Amino acid sequence: MAHRPKRTFRQRAADSSDSDGAEESPAEPGAPRELPVPGSAEEEPPSGGGRAQVAGLPHRVRGPRGRGRVWASSRRATKAAPRADEGSESRTLDVSTDEEDKIHHSSEIKIPDAAFIQAARRKRELARAQDDYISLDVQHTSSISGMKRESEDDPESEPDDHEKRIPFTLRPQTLRQRMAEESISRNEETSEESQEDEKQDTWEQQQMRKAVKIIEERDIDLSCGNGSSKVKKFDTSISFPPVNLEIIKKQLNTRLTLLQETHRSHLREYEKYVQDVKSSKSTIQNLESSSNQALNCKFYKSMKIYVENLIDCLNEKIINIQEIESSMHALLLKQAMTFMKRRQDELKHESTYLQQLSRKDETSTSGNFSVDEKTQWILEEIESRRTKRRQARVLSGNCNHQEGTSSDDELPSAEMIDFQKSQGDILQKQKKVFEEVQDDFCNIQNILLKFQQWREKFPDSYYEAFISLCIPKLLNPLIRVQLIDWNPLKLESTGLKEMPWFKSVEEFMDSSVEDSKKESSSDKKVLSAIINKTIIPRLTDFVEFLWDPLSTSQTTSLITHCRVILEEHSTCENEVSKSRQDLLKSIVSRMKKAVEDDVFIPLYPKSAVENKTSPHSKFQERQFWSGLKLFRNILLWNGLLTDDTLQELGLGKLLNRYLIIALLNATPGPDVVKKCNQVAACLPEKWFENSAMRTSIPQLENFIQFLLQSAHKLSRSEFRDEVEEIILILVKIKALNQAESFIGEHHLDHLKSLIKED
């Protein structure tokens, strides 16, 4: 028999205290120590000679005050001490099963049956009814122990909490009790109460099964010991159901049907797996035939690494590129400001000198006229440069040049040498920007070739990545390096179409595969995007800070580049509109500033300008032709700027405000007619293409009236032949009604043919 675990008890709902279940309540003075229990001696003989020491196992002791119970906690040890006044252990009872009991029970292997338990319970109830307590006499130890076990099995017989005896003192313990208490405490602290309850139930069930099994084995052994071995024989009296061929056939058919259904389900699964295998093989073949994934991955990885390295290279070089651009821009700006300031200073000093000279002539005709040294030095410098230009024109055979139409952009030799030296240093820095860089990362043609390979191998991923939008940003620093020495204000500057980057981009665009898809046509916009994001902003800077509208050469060169940019490569208006509008606004703003700051035509008395060799007359002529030169330069923008803008600037602000006033102050004659012819020659022919026009544009009304006045004066003078020139001017600017009226008024019938020919 297995060792019995410590017995624990489940706590009832009526439990309200956690008293120490091992303690025995001491008896009150005068109370009897032992009480006889009738009939208990016959139930179980006392073990160990009728006396036993109190063991460290949980137990209950009935007090003399009636029913009561003490819980055996799983975390406390049982305590039972003898009376101190007795002086011996003879009065101490072992109310639990000791070692001898265990040996005795294990040897006998006797389990009480239900009848025995019921008889013991009736005897216990009878004893309670007679004496109201259970005797603790030594002679009835086993009986009390048996009753205690019965009480443990009977939860209804346990006393309530208020009926327990409350111990006020602790009894001394023996060494054996203390050792047992410490051992039990260590063992019980390692387990939970719930586990102990389960073990208790399991143990009880196991003991019952073992007892039954042992009894059966004992009976078998006894029967075998008698030598009567019995052999089981087939009982012929047992009858089986009748079996015929139909039943067997039916069962076989049923079994066969089940097997066939199972087989068919397996066939269906097999066919499904075969189809899956075929589909997988087909997918593998398609993937292998369509593209090599390993090579594709390798290509994409190489492109990724290449683009990352390219971006790192450009990010590192962009700062140096910006510094070089700023240096070149500052150098050109310094030169432009030098020319502008010199022209304004010379104009101011020369005008002041002539005003002083006029006042001197009005006040007195005699006396010395003194000029300060600075003004004298400036006038000498002006005359020196004019003399050099005249000599150069004579050598070139240009005899029709008018004074005042020169740009006057000559620099002293020392300043020119310094400028060229600074420009050369900047260009040397430009060459060293990508000196140590491989061609694959600084040559535009090689970079575009990489993306062209991507487009040819994997066009879908190429267009899905919007490479056409990224290429202008990648090429921006490289193109800016090539544009450092590009000056669109010089006639000898390289055209955009002749630049290496322009040709490379055109080749990249031409090699793109023609397709109707929208993405495919995006490469056609690469050049337009580059011009929009790189070229136009640079042109705008030249216009705002460096362009001199009074210079015909600068204006002509600038217009040439602007026509290429704005007309031939403005394929996408929505993308180019903003930068294009910014450029055009800068052009208009710069010309307005030139009209307000650089045009100055003084008015002198006729006595001062009658002599064509006088300083006043020469200065006035130069200023008029300078204003007329600006008028011509403004109208050169015809086709790029709107007609309303040109008419407002050229006709409204310049012709009517400055040139007409100077013409009205002049004496009618061949010179005036010549100037009028020059004004009419500057007007765009597009403005007068309408054959049904009989009246010119409104902004030319003042000019037409001046022509009619000059014609009236010339018709009565010796310069009658000049009237025909004036009529031709009127016809050219579509002032036909005014010309016919003038011819009819002065009876110039021979000039009517001029109007009819038109």
Side-chain angles (χ1 to χ4, degrees):
M1 180 181 289
H3 179 68
R4 177 179 178 178
K6 303 177 184 64
R7 186 173 182 85
T8 59
F9 301 92
R10 297 184 182 88
Q11 190 173 8
R12 301 303 191 269
D15 179 20
S16 62
S17 65
D18 190 14
S19 60
D20 193 347
E23 274 188 352
E24 181 182 2
S25 302
E28 297 180 359
R33 301 294 298 175
E34 298 178 1
L35 296 177
V37 180
S40 62
E42 290 82 359
E43 293 177 5
E44 185 178 14
S47 62
R51 293 183 180 271
Q53 299 294 330
V54 177
L57 297 175
H59 63 278
R60 291 188 184 87
V61 178
R62 298 294 180 180
R65 299 183 60 183
R67 298 187 61 187
R69 63 180 178 177
V70 179
W71 288 101
S73 175
S74 62
R75 303 183 184 278
R76 294 178 181 268
T78 306
K79 298 179 181 179
R83 295 280 297 183
D85 53 355
E86 296 293 345
S88 66
E89 298 180 3
S90 61
R91 305 187 64 86
T92 303
L93 298 180
D94 186 358
V95 296
S96 63
T97 306
D98 55 6
E99 297 295 332
E100 295 178 358
D101 293 336
K102 294 178 184 177
I103 297 173
H104 177 72
H105 286 290
S106 61
S107 61
E108 291 182 353
I109 315 177
K110 182 178 180 181
I111 303 301
D113 55 1
F116 179 80
I117 293 173
Q118 292 296 330
R121 185 173 297 174
R122 284 194 298 271
K123 291 179 181 180
R124 182 181 62 185
E125 294 297 333
L126 181 60
R128 287 179 179 174
Q130 292 177 356
D131 300 326
D132 196 27
Y133 65 92
I134 299 176
S135 176
L136 298 178
D137 192 3
V138 177
Q139 297 178 358
H140 306 287
T141 302
S142 60
S143 177
I144 294 172
S145 178
M147 292 176 64
K148 176 180 177 296
R149 287 192 296 269
E150 293 174 5
S151 177
E152 291 175 353
D153 295 334
D154 186 10
E156 296 180 356
S157 63
E158 296 177 4
D160 297 335
D161 293 341
H162 66 278
E163 297 178 352
K164 298 178 183 177
R165 291 182 62 87
I166 302 176
F168 294 95
T169 61
L170 297 176
R171 293 183 180 181
Q173 297 177 339
T174 63
L175 178 61
R176 180 181 177 183
Q177 290 174 344
R178 288 195 298 270
M179 293 175 61
E181 177 184 357
E182 292 176 359
S183 176
I184 293 173
S185 297
R186 285 193 298 268
N187 294 334
E188 288 184 352
E189 287 178 356
T190 59
S191 62
E192 296 293 335
E193 293 184 1
S194 59
Q195 296 177 353
E196 293 176 355
D197 294 339
E198 294 176 1
K199 290 181 179 179
Q200 179 68 24
D201 297 338
T202 305
W203 180 84
E204 292 177 354
Q205 295 176 4
Q206 289 177 353
Q207 299 311 311
M208 294 294 292
R209 287 195 298 269
K210 288 180 180 179
V212 174
K213 183 177 181 181
I214 290 172
I215 293 172
E216 292 177 353
E217 290 178 354
R218 180 181 298 176
D219 296 339
I220 295 172
D221 292 340
L222 291 175
S223 62
C224 291
N226 294 331
S228 59
S229 58
K230 297 181 180 179
V231 180
K232 293 184 178 180
K233 297 181 179 181
F234 179 74
D235 191 0
T236 57
S237 63
I238 300 175
S239 62
F240 292 95
V243 178
N244 54 25
L245 188 60
E246 293 297 330
I247 295 175
I248 296 173
K249 183 178 180 181
K250 183 178 180 180
Q251 292 178 351
L252 290 176
N253 289 333
T254 303
R255 179 62 177 169
L256 180 61
T257 303
L258 294 175
L259 291 176
Q260 289 176 349
E261 291 179 356
T262 304
H263 179 66
R264 283 194 295 270
S265 64
H266 290 168
L267 285 178
R268 287 193 295 269
E269 292 180 0
Y270 174 76
E271 292 176 357
K272 180 182 178 182
Y273 294 150
V274 170
Q275 292 297 327
D276 292 342
V277 171
K278 290 182 179 179
S279 177
S280 300
K281 290 181 179 179
S282 176
T283 303
I284 292 172
Q285 292 177 356
N286 293 334
L287 292 175
E288 290 178 351
S289 61
S290 61
S291 61
N292 192 330
Q293 295 297 326
L295 295 178
N296 295 351
C297 181
K298 183 178 180 180
F299 175 80
Y300 286 125
K301 186 176 180 180
S302 64
M303 282 299 301
K304 178 178 180 293
I305 295 174
Y306 173 76
V307 172
E308 289 177 351
N309 294 334
L310 177 61
I311 293 174
D312 292 340
C313 175
L314 297 178
N315 288 336
E316 181 180 348
K317 298 297 182 180
I318 191 65
I319 299 176
N320 193 15
I321 294 172
Q322 291 175 351
E323 292 177 354
I324 297 174
E325 281 182 334
S326 300
S327 300
M328 180 63 75
H329 182 77
L331 182 64
L332 296 177
L333 180 62
K334 180 181 178 181
Q335 185 185 51
M337 295 302 295
T338 299
F339 291 147
M340 186 179 298
K341 187 176 184 302
R342 187 180 70 181
R343 182 172 64 234
Q344 292 177 354
D345 290 344
E346 290 176 355
L347 179 62
K348 178 180 177 181
H349 284 85
E350 190 171 5
S351 176
T352 303
Y353 168 75
L354 293 176
Q355 288 178 359
Q356 294 176 357
L357 188 61
S358 298
R359 286 196 297 269
K360 175 182 176 296
D361 293 339
E362 291 177 359
T363 54
S364 62
T365 57
S366 62
N368 295 328
F369 177 68
S370 60
V371 182
D372 60 283
E373 295 181 359
K374 184 177 181 180
T375 302
Q376 185 65 32
W377 178 80
I378 290 175
L379 293 176
E380 291 176 358
E381 285 291 328
I382 294 172
E383 191 60 31
S384 174
R385 292 197 303 274
R386 288 172 183 165
T387 301
K388 291 180 181 180
R389 288 195 293 270
R390 292 191 195 101
Q391 293 175 357
R393 287 195 296 269
V394 170
L395 293 176
S396 62
N398 185 9
C399 301
N400 296 325
H401 182 77
Q402 296 293 333
E403 291 287 345
T405 56
S406 299
S407 298
D408 194 14
D409 53 0
E410 297 87 358
L411 283 175
S413 57
E415 294 182 6
M416 181 60 68
I417 291 172
D418 292 340
F419 175 81
Q420 292 177 354
K421 182 178 181 302
S422 300
Q423 189 177 27
D425 294 340
I426 293 173
L427 296 180
Q428 286 297 325
K429 293 180 180 179
Q430 174 202 7
K431 295 178 181 179
K432 295 180 180 180
V433 172
F434 294 103
E435 186 177 14
E436 77 284 3
V437 180
Q438 298 180 6
D439 290 342
D440 289 341
F441 299 96
C442 64
N443 189 298
I444 294 178
Q445 186 175 4
N446 293 350
I447 294 173
L448 292 177
L449 184 60
K450 292 280 187 180
F451 290 101
Q452 183 177 344
Q453 293 175 356
W454 185 1
R455 183 178 61 191
E456 292 174 355
K457 291 183 178 180
F458 311 104
D460 294 336
S461 62
Y462 173 85
Y463 291 116
E464 289 175 358
F466 299 98
I467 301 301
S468 59
L469 301 179
C470 302
I471 290 177
K473 297 180 181 179
L474 290 175
L475 301 184
N476 177 269
L478 302 173
I479 296 174
R480 287 166 61 182
V481 172
Q482 298 185 21
L483 295 178
I484 288 177
D485 62 339
W486 179 62
N487 190 346
L489 302 179
K490 291 185 177 181
L491 291 174
E492 64 273 13
S493 62
T494 305
L496 291 177
K497 293 184 177 182
E498 285 74 29
M499 291 184 177
W501 67 266
F502 193 96
K503 296 179 181 179
S504 299
V505 174
E506 277 191 333
E507 292 177 0
F508 175 77
M509 292 169 55
D510 294 339
S511 63
S512 63
V513 180
E514 295 293 338
D515 198 346
S516 59
K517 294 183 179 180
K518 182 179 181 181
E519 292 82 4
S520 303
S521 62
S522 59
D523 285 343
K524 299 297 183 181
K525 303 176 183 177
V526 171
L527 182 59
S528 178
I530 292 175
I531 292 174
N532 181 30
K533 296 178 180 179
T534 305
I535 307 301
I536 292 181
R538 185 167 180 82
L539 270 179
T540 304
D541 291 339
F542 273 95
V543 170
E544 290 180 353
F545 303 104
L546 305 177
W547 175 42
D548 181 12
L550 285 173
S551 174
T552 302
S553 60
Q554 292 185 13
T555 303
T556 304
S557 178
L558 183 62
I559 289 173
T560 301
H561 292 294
C562 287
R563 288 190 186 278
V564 173
I565 293 171
L566 299 179
E567 290 183 356
E568 296 186 12
H569 299 286
S570 60
T571 57
C572 186
E573 293 295 334
N574 293 331
E575 295 180 0
V576 183
S577 60
K578 186 179 184 303
S579 58
R580 177 177 179 175
Q581 292 301 323
D582 292 341
L583 175 61
L584 297 179
K585 287 179 181 178
S586 300
I587 294 171
V588 174
S589 177
R590 184 66 188 90
M591 289 191 296
K592 285 182 179 179
K593 189 175 184 299
V595 171
E596 295 173 357
D597 297 344
D598 298 329
V599 176
F600 174 69
I601 303 177
L603 299 178
Y604 297 113
K606 290 185 178 182
S607 58
V609 297
E610 284 178 354
N611 186 5
K612 299 299 181 181
T613 60
S614 64
H616 300 82
S617 178
K618 290 181 179 180
F619 181 70
Q620 189 181 57
E621 286 294 312
R622 285 196 299 271
Q623 291 304 115
F624 176 84
W625 288 107
S626 176
L628 185 60
K629 179 183 179 181
L630 179 60
F631 178 75
R632 182 187 302 111
N633 293 342
I634 291 174
L635 297 180
L636 286 176
W637 290 96
N638 176 45
L640 296 176
L641 299 178
T642 61
D643 294 341
D644 294 338
T645 302
L646 294 178
Q647 291 173 9
E648 179 185 357
L649 280 174
L651 304 182
K653 292 183 178 296
L654 186 54
L655 177 62
N656 294 333
R657 186 178 298 179
Y658 293 100
L659 301 180
I660 294 297
I661 295 176
L663 291 174
L664 290 173
N665 193 45
T667 303
D671 292 339
V672 173
V673 175
K674 181 180 179 181
K675 293 176 181 178
C676 291
N677 269 321
Q678 291 295 325
V679 170
C682 296
L683 298 175
E685 296 180 357
K686 187 181 68 173
W687 293 355
F688 313 105
E689 288 179 351
N690 190 0
S691 59
M693 288 181 61
R694 303 291 298 177
T695 305
S696 185
I697 57 180
Q699 287 84 352
L700 291 176
E701 185 64 28
N702 293 334
F703 182 61
I704 294 172
Q705 292 300 324
F706 171 75
L707 291 175
L708 293 176
Q709 291 178 10
S710 299
H712 280 293
K713 293 179 181 180
L714 292 174
S715 63
R716 295 190 297 268
S717 65
E718 56 185 7
F719 303 107
R720 292 181 179 179
D721 295 339
E722 304 298 333
V723 175
E724 183 177 354
E725 293 293 333
I726 294 176
I727 297 300
L728 290 176
I729 295 172
L730 292 173
V731 172
K732 181 179 180 180
I733 62 177
K734 293 297 182 179
L736 301 180
N737 293 336
Q738 291 86 341
E740 290 179 354
S741 178
F742 178 81
I743 292 173
E745 182 180 355
H746 292 81
H747 305 288
L748 301 176
D749 297 336
H750 62 283
L751 298 178
K752 290 183 179 180
S753 59
L754 299 176
I755 300 175
K756 292 180 181 180
E757 289 178 1
D758 184 77

